[in-house]
Amino acid sequence: MGSSAKKKKDKKKDFQKPKLKVGKVRPKASNFTDTSFKSKSIVLRQQSLATAAPSSSSQFSHHLSLLTSRSDSQRRDSLSYLITAITSRSIDTRLQQPVSVILPKLLPLFLDVSNSVRAQLVKLLRSLPSNDVEDHVSQLVLYIRAGMTHLAADIRSSAMDILWWALEAAGQELVSCAGGWVKTLKCFLAMLSWPNNTSAATWTSSSASFGNIGTEGKAYVKSLNVMAAFFRVGLVSGSEKSDGPPLVGTFPLWHVEHHILPKRSNCFAGLNLFGLPRDEEGEMYEDREDRQSIYHKRFRQAVDKGLDAAKREAGEVGRAAAGVKKVLIEGMHDYKDEGY
């Protein structure tokens, strides 16, 4: 009984209006907060109010560092910024960063899982000066071959786009660098499912272990077109760059091109003076005759059978295979053991 009467009294107190008396302070609320305190402030006597924007080179370096971000959109946006920064500069202005600094950041993106990132990557590579790319082809071709033999068909297709750009920018350097000719040809055969170790009686066009690329798909046609460009650079005469003036302009001097200063940065790389011993696949084939010989010895039979099978498909595949065959005829017509 006592507790019940107390509860009723407390509940009634909540609804009673307090009586205010003259000369007495109004009672404080239960949730009253004292705000009479004063805070101390820190005063800086010397401070600059000027705002200086970061320079273009620092922004360029910042976006280069963002290429390793885990976010696909961040990598894509950074690549877009780099493309705009490179293409919007004047002709006589140097790059914000040298190609030797830019390329190591771009190489891992060859195998990026995002299609949009790889598409922006191809645009960025095409915006780089070709003369600056020639000295770094040996690094490029490693990631290109990794993309050509990747399990994902989209990455293999992007690798073909990058290889096409590399052939246009520095084709001779690509086919003549260490492993650039033999190992790349092996990757082409693996992509196109053309076996290179069977006889004519047991040769079949079975699908590769990297996934069936599809003889009716655009990826197969793209691979054949890039292969034609690859053979054109490596085998067709006249595609090699001349390091010296023409012979007519230097008459009566002979072999002037062998006595002038080379234009390549590492002109003695073929000697492999300080590197590990190379096998036949990792060797440098700088001369067209050497590339013809190794192609005839190791790949000609497999490529001919694969092209014959592709030509029987007709349509775009057949036309692309005929284009590769035409380039091979033009590139191997002067070979000693020619059987075309």
Side-chain angles (χ1 to χ4, degrees), residues 130-307:
S130 301
N131 296 333
D132 297 339
V133 176
E134 295 177 353
D135 296 334
H136 307 281
V137 171
S138 58
Q139 302 176 15
L140 288 171
V141 72
L142 297 177
Y143 284 86
I144 291 175
R145 290 199 298 262
M148 293 173 65
T149 55
H150 201 275
L151 293 175
D154 294 337
I155 296 180
R156 296 199 299 269
S157 179
S158 299
M160 289 291 96
D161 295 332
I162 298 174
L163 179 57
W164 204 326
W165 160 79
L167 291 172
E168 295 175 352
Q172 282 300 318
E173 287 74 12
L174 190 147
V175 297
S176 61
C177 69
W181 181 247
V182 176
K183 291 184 178 180
T184 308
L185 280 176
K186 290 183 64 177
C187 291
F188 268 116
L189 296 182
M191 280 190 63
L192 299 172
S193 308
W194 294 352
N196 194 25
N197 55 356
T198 55
S199 61
T202 59
W203 190 92
T204 56
S205 58
S206 60
S207 60
S209 59
F210 306 107
N212 190 2
I213 198 172
T215 56
E216 297 180 358
K218 295 183 179 179
Y220 198 90
V221 177
K222 180 191 292 187
S223 301
L224 291 176
N225 291 333
V226 177
M227 175 182 273
F230 184 77
F231 282 134
R232 185 178 295 110
V233 173
L235 297 178
V236 177
S237 60
S239 60
E240 298 181 355
K241 297 180 182 178
S242 177
D243 292 338
L247 187 61
V248 178
T250 59
F251 183 81
L253 302 177
W254 299 91
H255 304 294
V256 178
E257 65 277 7
H258 298 297
H259 301 284
I260 61 177
L261 293 176
K263 295 182 179 180
R264 300 176 58 182
S265 62
N266 192 7
C267 57
F268 299 105
L271 301 178
N272 193 26
L273 298 176
F274 306 103
L276 297 175
R278 296 171 180 162
D279 53 2
E280 190 178 44
E281 295 183 0
E283 191 58 57
M284 297 179 65
Y285 299 96
E286 298 182 329
D287 297 331
R288 172 174 172 261
E289 291 77 12
D290 295 338
R291 294 192 288 268
Q292 286 178 325
S293 177
I294 195 66
Y295 167 75
H296 177 77
K297 176 183 176 182
R298 296 192 54 178
F299 301 102
R300 186 171 183 175
Q301 184 179 5
V303 172
D304 288 345
K305 293 175 183 177
L307 291 177

Side-chain angles (χ1 to χ4, degrees), residues 40-188:
K40 294 183 179 180
S41 61
I42 301 175
V43 179
L44 300 178
R45 296 184 178 276
Q46 295 179 356
Q47 57 180 340
S48 176
L49 300 179
T51 57
S55 61
S56 59
S57 60
S58 61
Q59 289 183 347
F60 196 90
S61 302
H62 174 65
H63 282 278
L64 273 179
S65 64
L66 292 179
L67 294 180
T68 58
S69 174
R70 295 185 178 181
S71 173
D72 296 347
S73 59
Q74 181 63 69
R75 297 195 300 271
R76 184 189 65 243
D77 296 341
S78 296
L79 287 172
S80 301
Y81 174 85
L82 296 177
I83 295 172
T84 304
I86 293 175
T87 55
S88 61
R89 63 186 178 87
S90 58
I91 300 177
D92 55 347
T93 305
R94 296 184 301 175
L95 291 174
Q96 291 84 345
Q97 293 289 342
V99 176
S100 59
V101 176
I102 298 175
L103 275 181
K105 300 290 185 180
L106 301 180
L107 294 178
L109 298 181
F110 286 17
L111 309 177
D112 197 279
V113 295
S114 175
N115 295 333
S116 59
V117 172
R118 295 194 307 274
Q120 292 293 326
L121 174 64
V122 175
K123 295 180 181 178
L124 177 57
L125 292 174
R126 292 190 175 277
S127 65
L128 296 176
S130 301
N131 296 333
D132 297 339
V133 176
E134 295 177 353
D135 296 334
H136 307 281
V137 171
S138 58
Q139 302 176 15
L140 288 171
V141 72
L142 297 177
Y143 284 86
I144 291 175
R145 290 199 298 262
M148 293 173 65
T149 55
H150 201 275
L151 293 175
D154 294 337
I155 296 180
R156 296 199 299 269
S157 179
S158 299
M160 289 291 96
D161 295 332
I162 298 174
L163 179 57
W164 204 326
W165 160 79
L167 291 172
E168 295 175 352
Q172 282 300 318
E173 287 74 12
L174 190 147
V175 297
S176 61
C177 69
W181 181 247
V182 176
K183 291 184 178 180
T184 308
L185 280 176
K186 290 183 64 177
C187 291
F188 268 116

